[in-house]
Amino acid sequence: MIYDNNAIRLRRNLLIDIAKLVMDGNLFEDIDRMPLTMYPQRSDAVRCCIYKDRAITKYRLMAILGHRVENETDELKLLSQYAREALDRQEPATPVLTVIDQACSACQRGSHYVTDACRSCVARPCTVNCRRDAIEVTNKRANIVQEKCINCGLCVKVCPYHAIVYVPVPCEEVCPVDAIVKDETGREHIDNEKCINCGKCMGACPFGAIMERSSIVDVIGRINGDKKTVAMLAPAMAGQFPGGMKKLTSAVKRLGFDDVVEVALGAELTAQNESKEVAEKLSEGTALVTTSCCPAYIEAVNKHVPEMLPYVSDTPTPMHYTGQLVKNDDPDAITVFISPCVAKRQEAIADPTINYVLTTEELGAMLVAAEIEINDCPEAIFEPPASSEGRTFAFSGGVTKAVREHLDETTEIKPVQIDGLDRKKIKLLQAYAKGKCPGNFLEVMSCEGGCVGGPCTLEGVGKARNRVTDFANQTIEKTPQQ
Amino acid sequence: MTNITVKICTGTTCYVMGASQLLSLPQLLPEGLASRVLVEGANCLDFCKNGQHGKAPFVQVNNTVIPEATIEKVKEAIRQAAETD
Ligand code: FES
């Protein structure tokens, strides 16, 4: 889970401000002034000076308007021009993440340092054990010779005073696939050939230099337009606001959506069809079937573990099925999928049943801007309600449980779970694909805890999970169709 | 010794700005204080409405409003309230 910090608060405040401007019809008029209003003359600068703060704010706003900051060609181009392009645009574009080069502090390469806690002891296990001869003792203190150090971390382990620390580059550290790398100036860039859109770097950067390209202005524009708009709330949304899914649904309606549906309905179809597929494939002798619903995982397979491809389930995701249900009803409806996920943006761009993706944060910002008090909203009634198995897709283990419930005695699954992707897990997946998987059904979630632990959550995993479970328990059980 | 009332706003604005993490306050209070403090979640306290009180999330400790609340800021306000009592 991501802990609250000022970079997150800053981003949310900007989202709220922009949402307000669009809702009040003042976007074009007021947006160019925003960086100045935030950092007026003679105010305290957060960075070196207010001019830099203002410049970075401009780029943040560009990202919130859905633009890719790296694509700027003319520094004089005004935010109001970007805003016009945003409202004219017909669909979102890739890549979904963007790096604000100016905001990146070009952190030092990840290195080990000796802190003041070093007592220059007699034992000096650091110097004795270092295999690269990278530690010298000068001025009664151990010192690491950076040119020799290979960051093996042995000195950290052997120091009796815990005096040696590793200072990482936060974004690089969390990226499971080494997709974020420094250029010659030390600033970070995302390599889109490698990036799986998991969003981990965005939460990790202490300077807020990595942002997603928001669709918030597009969606508000669509709500005000003449086509029917349908909000699709992912199962994880039941955990994200006080008052749970029922009040949230009414609140989302008040934003002006013509309809709100729960994606748990689509999750039921995923569970049904995936279980059929599992039964079929296992009976045909396939050694392994792995889930298809986490888009960051699927991207990881495509880009980094292609050996796993033959084992990935062909069953469409809950988002897709739900989009299809809506479009079957009204092919012209504008579908807006809402969840705590960043990677869904990419999945949606390739899926014709989904028009837009919003994150929990963007939805929250819209509710704040529209001054909708969720606590005061009535509890919505779900007609038809999704089953509890559809609703619990939101957390790790939920998919496995749902698939299992649909299988009959003739199919026996031995489930294995990967709960959260990191570098080690990618290696593990590579081994699993080569036949080393200890089970025959593999559920993988990029975020720890599942979707309730997504990069754009407002709630901690534990509480979110409890709320999702509560909501799931409130449904009438349907008999699974075999 | 009177009780200290702490209201953690869970209105939409405060929640979006991070109030959920403040709700773990009761578990983080030192023992001596915990027994005197009454922590409750509250609907929108209206501090978010005109900007005059600063920025969300808001917490109210007795009659003191804490803008941009963090667990530490709230704890400090509780300590002060306990001392002036
Ligand atoms: S939402 Fe907290 S004061 Fe209004």
Side-chain angles (χ1 to χ4, degrees):
Chain A
M1 136 170 196
I2 295 164
Y3 284 94
D4 197 7
N5 64 51
N6 289 331
I8 295 177
R9 288 186 179 183
L10 180 66
R11 182 173 75 214
R12 291 185 188 162
N13 274 321
L14 289 175
L15 279 166
I16 294 169
D17 290 347
I18 289 288
K20 264 198 200 127
L21 290 185
V22 189
M23 287 176 187
D24 298 344
N26 295 333
L27 183 65
F28 304 143
E29 225 166 281
D30 291 352
I31 193 168
D32 289 318
R33 201 166 278 284
M34 265 180 76
L36 282 73
T37 330
M38 279 185 65
Y39 300 101
Q41 283 293 351
R42 283 176 283 279
S43 62
D44 289 338
V46 179
R47 296 177 189 248
C48 55
C49 63
I50 54 167
Y51 306 101
K52 178 132 189 187
D53 285 332
R54 287 177 183 177
I56 291 171
T57 305
K58 179 183 169 189
Y59 292 122
R60 288 193 199 289
L61 292 171
M62 240 179 107
I64 290 175
L65 292 170
H67 294 282
R68 184 168 187 244
V69 175
E70 294 93 326
N71 288 353
E72 178 191 66
T73 49
D74 178 7
E75 264 189 80
L76 276 181
K77 184 163 168 180
L78 298 174
L79 281 166
S80 48
Q81 280 170 279
Y82 284 115
R84 272 177 222 283
E85 285 173 19
L87 278 167
D88 286 345
R89 158 176 73 204
Q90 289 310 307
E91 54 193 23
T94 53
V96 300
L97 289 168
T98 179
V99 183
I100 305 171
D101 172 287
Q102 317 276 328
C104 174
S105 97
C107 305
Q108 285 263 323
R109 184 181 71 99
S111 323
H112 283 81
Y113 296 97
V114 182
T115 65
D116 286 350
C118 172
R119 310 275 316 264
S120 179
C121 63
V122 173
R124 292 186 188 172
C126 55
T127 58
V128 177
N129 288 285
C130 178
R131 290 170 196 159
R132 294 286 162 137
D133 197 19
I135 304 181
E136 293 170 345
V137 182
T138 40
N139 299 332
K140 295 238 174 339
R141 160 92 93 84
N143 259 312
I144 295 178
V145 185
Q146 296 297 344
E147 297 70 42
K148 291 185 179 172
C149 174
I150 54 158
N151 286 325
C152 71
L154 196 58
C155 55
V156 176
K157 272 192 214 138
V158 298
C159 174
Y161 293 106
H162 298 220
I164 304 176
V165 292
Y166 178 66
V167 180
V169 178
C171 60
E172 292 181 6
E173 168 117 319
V174 296
C175 179
V177 292
D178 296 322
I180 187 152
V181 281
K182 290 186 177 301
D183 64 11
E184 331 64 64
T185 68
R187 296 215 168 94
E188 298 289 340
H189 289 268
I190 294 175
D191 178 349
N192 288 305
E193 302 284 303
K194 290 184 175 170
C195 177
I196 60 172
N197 310 304
C198 67
K200 295 183 200 285
C201 55
M202 197 175 85
C205 175
F207 288 85
I210 302 152
M211 292 190 64
E212 45 176 348
R213 294 163 70 184
S214 170
S215 292
I216 196 165
V217 298
D218 311 52
V219 172
I220 301 173
R222 290 302 185 150
I223 291 177
N224 296 335
D226 40 7
K227 284 191 185 152
K228 179 178 176 181
T229 49
V230 181
M232 300 168 30
L233 297 179
M237 296 304 289
Q240 293 300 311
F241 290 90
M245 193 72 146
K246 293 181 172 172
K247 290 192 170 190
L248 180 64
T249 298
S250 309
V252 173
K253 262 234 176 89
R254 285 192 185 173
L255 277 174
F257 283 100
D258 296 289
D259 206 357
V260 183
V261 296
E262 49 170 339
V263 174
L265 290 172
E268 277 172 36
L269 296 173
T270 300
Q272 273 168 32
N273 294 327
E274 194 154 289
S275 63
K276 272 187 213 141
E277 189 190 345
V278 169
E280 231 170 77
K281 286 193 169 160
L282 293 183
S283 72
E284 283 164 4
T286 306
L288 178 67
V289 179
T290 170
T291 49
S292 59
C293 53
C294 171
Y297 167 50
I298 295 308
E299 205 70 352
V301 168
N302 286 331
K303 292 180 174 168
H304 305 277
V305 202
E307 319 85 278
M308 187 64 96
L309 272 173
Y311 306 112
V312 176
S313 153
D314 301 322
T315 305
T317 63
M319 175 174 87
H320 175 81
Y321 278 125
T322 314
Q324 217 169 35
L325 290 174
V326 175
K327 296 266 184 187
N328 284 349
D329 249 23
D330 179 357
D332 285 336
I334 303 286
T335 48
V336 182
F337 174 82
I338 308 172
S339 81
C341 181
V342 171
K344 280 282 176 195
R345 287 190 196 280
Q346 182 86 27
E347 184 193 335
I349 286 170
D351 185 338
T353 70
I354 307 299
N355 296 100
Y356 296 100
V357 168
L358 288 182
T359 63
T360 320
E361 257 183 8
E362 290 168 289
L363 176 69
M366 286 169 68
L367 292 167
V368 173
E371 297 185 17
I372 295 170
E373 269 313 311
I374 307 175
N375 293 334
D376 297 341
C377 288
E379 298 202 328
I381 296 165
F382 293 88
E383 204 49 66
S387 64
S388 77
E389 69 187 44
R391 289 178 175 177
T392 51
F393 256 62
F395 48 77
S396 289
V399 184
T400 304
K401 187 164 164 275
V403 166
R404 197 176 227 168
E405 257 157 44
H406 283 280
L407 290 170
D408 59 25
E409 319 76 65
T410 58
T411 314
E412 207 186 301
I413 58 164
K414 255 178 60 196
V416 177
Q417 263 180 45
I418 290 187
D419 181 22
L421 286 180
D422 56 22
R423 277 194 194 89
K424 280 192 189 137
K425 302 285 173 52
I426 298 283
K427 292 246 160 65
L428 192 63
L429 282 169
Q430 284 160 349
Y432 283 2
K434 292 197 186 97
K436 302 237 169 70
C437 185
N440 59 8
F441 182 76
L442 173 64
E443 177 192 302
V444 184
M445 294 284 183
S446 169
C447 296
E448 216 174 302
C451 309
V452 287
C456 298
T457 48
L458 298 179
E459 187 57 272
V461 178
K463 215 200 261 167
R465 199 186 148 109
N466 291 345
R467 282 208 197 108
V468 170
T469 312
D470 276 354
F471 181 56
N473 290 340
Q474 287 164 23
T475 191
I476 352 146
E477 275 318 312
K478 295 177 189 168
T479 33
Q481 300 153 341
Q482 298 298 331
Chain B
M1 273 200 317
T2 47
N3 277 339
I4 300 163
T5 314
V6 178
K7 286 188 184 156
I8 300 174
C9 179
T10 65
T12 305
T13 307
C14 291
Y15 215 77
V16 170
M17 294 311 295
S20 81
Q21 298 194 17
L22 300 173
L23 290 168
S24 55
L25 178 76
Q27 291 101 278
L28 301 170
L29 284 177
E31 270 191 27
L33 277 181
S35 54
R36 289 188 55 194
V37 178
L38 187 70
V39 183
E40 48 192 47
N43 283 355
C44 175
L45 297 166
D46 279 345
F47 300 137
C48 61
K49 294 284 143 62
N50 47 24
Q52 176 184 322
H53 296 274
K55 281 187 179 157
F58 294 100
V59 173
Q60 189 174 353
V61 176
N62 286 342
N63 290 321
T64 315
V65 183
I66 304 165
E68 293 182 74
T70 60
I71 294 275
E72 269 325 299
K73 278 195 200 172
V74 178
K75 274 207 224 161
E76 187 47 41
I78 295 174
R79 263 180 232 124
Q80 278 181 15
E83 273 165 26
T84 53
D85 192 44

